[in-house]
Amino acid sequence: MSENEIFDNDLEDNPDDYRVTLDLDDGTSAECAILTILEVDGQDYIVLVPVDEDDEPMEEGEVYIYRYYEDEDGTPSLENIETEEEFEKVSERFDEYLDEQEFNELP
């Protein structure tokens, strides 16, 4: 992954308008919506879902997960997850998040 651009919107005020453009390793770009930011072992991780020009998810179940940082000025940056162990921990937390969301949607 090369340079990533996070647009200048306030996530807390307008999460539906917050978008990230990922420059992928294969030379293509993906416009993504932020699904959530999770914390695992004191590190934040961002879960992104690719969207089309109508802000609809591109493929069901497709997400990108990265380490998420903000510098002292609040400028966000993303970093690849390097180990399978770290990825497994984050994936388990993401599964818990999805279960929580389904539970919250029950009547």
Side-chain angles (χ1 to χ4, degrees), residues 62-82:
E62 181 180 16
V63 296
Y64 297 107
I65 303 175
Y66 293 95
R67 285 188 203 125
Y68 176 78
Y69 297 95
E70 288 185 12
D71 66 15
E72 58 276 350
D73 296 326
T75 304
S77 65
L78 307 179
E79 190 175 276
N80 288 327
I81 296 173
E82 298 294 330

Side-chain angles (χ1 to χ4, degrees), residues 20-99:
V20 177
T21 301
L22 296 177
D23 292 327
L24 304 174
D25 291 335
D26 66 3
T28 62
S29 294
E31 183 79 11
C32 298
I34 296 174
L35 186 58
T36 190
I37 296 176
L38 305 168
E39 183 178 330
V40 178
D41 295 338
Q43 171 63 57
D44 287 334
Y45 296 87
I46 192 167
V47 182
L48 306 170
V49 60
V51 294
D52 63 19
E53 58 275 349
D54 297 321
D55 280 338
E56 296 297 322
M58 296 286 280
E59 286 186 42
E60 188 171 325
E62 181 180 16
V63 296
Y64 297 107
I65 303 175
Y66 293 95
R67 285 188 203 125
Y68 176 78
Y69 297 95
E70 288 185 12
D71 66 15
E72 58 276 350
D73 296 326
T75 304
S77 65
L78 307 179
E79 190 175 276
N80 288 327
I81 296 173
E82 298 294 330
T83 67
E84 188 66 31
E85 178 184 343
E86 180 182 13
F87 183 78
E88 287 299 320
K89 284 182 181 181
V90 176
S91 294
E92 286 177 21
R93 177 62 191 107
F94 180 55
D95 287 342
E96 291 171 5
Y97 166 82
L98 292 175
D99 290 343

Side-chain angles (χ1 to χ4, degrees), residues 97-107:
Y97 166 82
L98 292 175
D99 290 343
E100 292 166 5
Q101 296 307 304
E102 287 179 14
F103 180 77
N104 290 336
E105 291 178 10
L106 292 176

